[in-house]
Amino acid sequence: MTVPSAPLTSRQRLLLALLTFDAFLLGLLELFFLPLRLDGIVLPKLGDAPMPVTVVLAVITTPLLVRATAKVVRPSFSVIPLLVWVLVVLGVGATGPGGDLVLIQDWRALLLIGGGALPGALALGGGLGRAAKGASSG
């Protein structure tokens, strides 16, 4: 039997909205800067090799958003930033502005999706597991 949880306070709603907006912005940023290359335009010139620096950003920030949501709102709501990030990357990537395909069709796209979704999902599962263990023992 589950105990109904208290409704979110206005502070928790505001923080959830802020973290969700952060996930939205990070998804867009990581998606649009994924095609960066070492070609001397934005990054230094080192042989014109692809340099998916936004994958590193996704690996770090997606689990941070999930953990922050679990900590400041509640663990059951920590899935929201992860879902928003995945929907932005896949949705905007496939149907970008003007119907253009923004998500590039090579290994960098898979690396971005895996690098953002997998650590976020691991953080989500860990947080929900700790919350369930704490609720059953206390």
Side-chain angles (χ1 to χ4, degrees):
M1 185 166 154
T2 61
V3 177
S5 56
L8 294 178
T9 64
S10 59
R11 178 181 178 270
Q12 287 175 320
R13 280 191 221 116
L14 178 67
L15 289 171
L16 180 62
L18 180 65
L19 290 166
T20 303
F21 185 65
D22 284 346
F24 176 80
L25 288 180
L26 282 167
L28 284 179
L29 175 84
E30 293 157 359
L31 182 63
F32 289 148
F33 285 101
L34 185 62
L36 283 179
R37 304 180 75 80
L38 294 169
D39 57 2
I41 297 172
V42 176
L43 297 175
K45 184 158 182 69
L46 294 172
D48 201 31
M51 186 64 177
V53 293
T54 60
V55 172
V56 176
L57 184 65
V59 167
I60 294 169
T61 59
T62 309
L64 284 176
L65 286 170
V66 170
R67 285 189 197 117
T69 305
K71 187 175 185 178
V72 299
V73 180
R74 67 174 61 134
S76 59
F77 283 88
S78 59
V79 70
I80 294 172
L82 180 60
L83 283 177
V84 167
W85 184 89
V86 168
L87 290 174
V88 165
V89 169
L90 294 179
V92 174
T95 64
D100 294 333
L101 184 66
V102 179
L103 193 60
I104 53 179
Q105 307 253 324
D106 66 5
W107 58 273
R108 293 173 287 178
L110 293 174
L111 201 59
L112 176 66
I113 295 167
L118 183 62
L122 289 172
L124 174 66
L128 292 175
R130 279 188 296 277
K133 182 179 178 183
S136 67
S137 67

